Structures are given as C-alpha cells and as structure tokens.
Amino acid sequence: MSRGRASSVRVRSVGVKRLVAVVSALAVVAAGCGSPGAPVDPAPVGSVEQPKPANAGPAQVDVEGAAAEDCNATASLPPQGGIPSGSTMDEIRERGYLVAGVDQNTFLFGFRNPTTGTLEGFDIDMAKAVAKAIFGDPGKIRFRAVTSAQRIPALTAGDVDIVVRTMTINCERLKEINFSSVYYVAGQRILVDENSDVRTLADLEGQKVCASKGSTSLKNIAKAERKPIPIQVDDWSDCLVMMQQGQVEAISTDDTILAGMAQQDPTTKIVGERFTEEPYGIGIPKEDKDMVRFVNAVLEDVRGGEWQKSYDRWLAGPLGSAQPPAAKYK
C-alpha cells in the first residue's frame, strides 16, 4: 500500500470513530430526556400568610393611662419674638440649621415627593416657617423622619429641636414635653373599602382596626365600647397596605391623615362623623421654654396669611375650607 493511500485510510478511520462517539453521546442524551418520571414535591405547602409590615401586630394599649385629664392643655406660653444671646434659638443659629422631626409617609402633611425627592406638606411648611424666622431662610433646616412612637423620645433625647408631625396636644404628653399653641384641629374618623357597610367603630366589633403605634388614635380604638381589635404599625402607610391586603378591616385616625390615604387609594372612603377632637401642636423639649415662646410668635405671623396659603394648597381640596385656629395662652 502506498504511503498516500495508507494516510487516507487512517483519516477515514479516525472520522468514523468520532462519528460513532458523537452518535453514542446523542443517544445517551436522548435516553435521559425520554422519560422524566414523576415530579418530586420536596416541601408541600398549605396556606400561605401574606407578609406584614415590620413590627405590625396586636396593640398592647394602656387604656387606664389614657383617662381624660383637665390641665388646660391647649393653653401655651405667650409669644415672644427675637433671638437673645445665649437663648435656644441663638444656639440653633450658631449651629447653622434647625433640626425638625417630621413624617415622610403621610400624604398632604409630611411626605416625600416621588419626583423631586423633597419633603412636602402642611407640617413641612410649618417647620420651614420656624427655620425662616431663625435664619431668614426656610432652607436652613434638616429633617429627621420619626414615627409616631419616636416623637417624644426624639425630643427628650435632644435629637431634634422641634417635632412637627400631626401631634395631638394632651395632658399626658405635656408631662414629658412642651407644646406650641394649636396650629390645626383635626378629628378621628374611619377609613374603609369603598364597598364596606361600616359607619362607626361600633360596626367594627371584634374586627381588626389599624393605627400607628404611639398615637392617640390607637388608644381611642382600644377604649371603644364595642371592642374592635387594635392593630399597631410604625407608619400610617403600613395601615393602608394592610387594609389593601385584607389584613385589617379599617383604619381609624385623624381625618387629615385619612384624607391623604383616600387620595392615594380611590377604592377607599372615609366614613362617619368625627368622634374626637385632635388639636395639633409643635412639640418642643420641656426645658426650652424660650423656644416655645419664639415658635408661638412664629405661628402668630403664620396665621396672618401663610397658614391659609399652605392649607389651600394641601388640604382644602379633600377637607373643604378652613381657617387657622385661634391661639390660647396661659
């Protein structure tokens, strides 16, 4: 056999072997894909509970501690403008900015604009008015987001200079902090699904009703005669999520807060009349009485025009016309 012919034979032989190997491999793959057998269920699952917001659950409320007191709570210290040397306001001015505890989850009062990322709302306008009075510039302010339950601890720890966060003035809270004069009066009502027949708390006997931890609303739910089940959350937006998921039957808090929720979710409605009166004040540390007088002077100016502008921008649409509440002083 010639050298050329021998080489040709060896090449054909190698080619045949490679073809056989490929065909064998394909046969193995085909055999593996032919019959997958019965599927295996490694972890049978029954019913699955929907996830809840962090820290959401049944509320433990001290109803006895919520008893009404008569301390003339809404009467604040008389206003006094100016910034004397060594005053609380002077120290804030030296620092270069005001620190305000606010909400960032309550639409219309304190919320983060999804387009600009800035905090906006009626309470934000009130806080900026204080900064403007100290610095001549409403932008010299740093906001610190606090939950309802964090409002008083933030003030007593000195983490913030003021708290402007839909905060009801009452005798119990006045034992720990000071308040400005009243800058808004709200009232507690109920938010439910648009198809609900609920009209009052009495209609919610034995059913779950959501409110924010540390709020007066939660205590009012717990005190209700027909015993709804109070469910507490960190932020009001968590209540709306839980109601949308069917984890609570209703939300009950100030009509101001509910109005924002109803605008965010048109499939809900506010029902019933106000069954409480909630006078809002700016929270201030107990020892800073000069700051209380200064903030009251700011609010006197705000009532002269800026209050109405802010109200008309944020609240007149869902809540109707209103005027600033008259101040009461000791």
Side-chain angles (χ1 to χ4, degrees):
M1 183 182 298
S2 67
R3 185 180 298 273
R5 185 177 180 186
S7 298
S8 176
V9 170
R10 282 197 296 273
V11 170
R12 287 198 299 271
S13 177
V14 170
V16 170
K17 289 180 180 179
R18 287 179 177 172
L19 179 60
V20 171
V22 170
V23 171
S24 299
L26 291 173
V28 171
V29 172
C33 294
S35 178
V40 177
D41 187 356
V45 178
S47 60
V48 178
E49 184 177 355
Q50 290 177 311
K52 295 179 180 177
N55 303 318
Q60 300 297 321
V61 183
D62 180 11
V63 177
E64 296 299 324
E69 299 177 54
D70 184 10
C71 67
N72 197 18
T74 57
S76 187
L77 296 174
Q80 182 176 339
I83 303 179
S85 177
S87 65
T88 302
M89 298 76 71
D90 187 43
E91 293 175 3
I92 293 170
R93 189 163 59 182
E94 286 295 316
R95 182 204 299 151
Y97 54 87
L98 175 74
V99 183
V102 297
D103 197 352
Q104 64 176 356
N105 295 303
T106 299
F107 190 54
L108 304 180
F109 265 79
F111 68 100
R112 193 169 295 281
N113 186 310
T115 302
T116 64
T118 58
L119 288 169
E120 298 179 354
F122 187 79
D123 275 350
I124 303 301
D125 289 348
M126 297 299 109
K128 285 183 175 180
V130 177
K132 183 178 180 180
I134 296 174
F135 299 101
D137 180 357
K140 289 195 173 183
I141 185 169
R142 293 189 182 179
F143 296 113
R144 179 164 296 182
V146 294
T147 65
S148 294
Q150 291 170 341
R151 293 175 297 191
I152 291 177
L155 287 166
T156 56
D159 295 333
V160 296
D161 300 314
I162 58 175
V163 166
V164 193
R165 194 190 187 284
T166 57
M167 195 173 186
T168 300
I169 304 170
N170 60 36
C171 296
E172 186 179 358
R173 288 172 174 168
L174 278 167
K175 294 173 184 177
E176 300 184 77
I177 63 171
N178 271 316
F179 279 103
S180 71
S181 58
V182 178
Y183 69 90
Y184 189 87
V185 179
Q188 189 166 347
R189 295 178 70 188
I190 301 167
L191 185 78
V192 292
D193 182 82
E194 62 181 350
N195 297 316
S196 174
D197 295 329
V198 168
R199 290 293 178 271
T200 68
L201 275 182
D203 298 329
L204 290 162
E205 181 176 5
Q207 299 187 67
K208 295 178 180 178
V209 183
C210 189
S212 178
K213 182 179 180 181
S215 66
T216 55
S217 304
L218 197 64
K219 289 188 176 183
N220 293 333
I221 295 168
K223 290 190 298 180
E225 186 176 349
R226 301 298 283 275
K227 300 302 179 185
I229 302 170
I231 301 295
Q232 67 183 21
V233 295
D234 286 340
D235 291 302
W236 289 112
S237 55
D238 294 335
C239 276
L240 185 57
V241 170
M242 291 188 75
M243 194 171 82
Q244 289 168 337
Q245 294 181 344
Q247 295 173 326
V248 298
E249 186 67 23
I251 304 166
S252 183
T253 186
D254 305 348
D255 50 2
T256 50
I257 299 171
L258 298 181
M261 293 185 189
Q263 287 211 336
Q264 289 175 298
D265 186 349
T267 68
T268 65
K269 61 183 179 182
I270 301 173
V271 298
E273 299 297 324
R274 286 182 172 184
F275 55 90
T276 68
E277 186 173 275
E278 308 294 335
Y280 291 170
I282 295 176
I284 300 167
K286 194 73 172 175
E287 64 274 15
D288 296 343
K289 292 184 178 180
D290 57 346
M291 187 68 171
V292 177
R293 295 179 184 274
F294 181 82
V295 169
N296 283 342
V298 174
L299 291 177
E300 284 292 336
D301 290 338
V302 167
R303 291 185 186 95
E306 291 303 314
W307 189 98
Q308 198 67 58
K309 289 180 182 178
S310 181
Y311 182 88
D312 290 346
R313 179 184 181 188
W314 300 112
L315 305 173
L319 294 174
S321 61
Q323 294 181 337
K328 289 170 56 181
Y329 300 114
K330 296 178 181 178

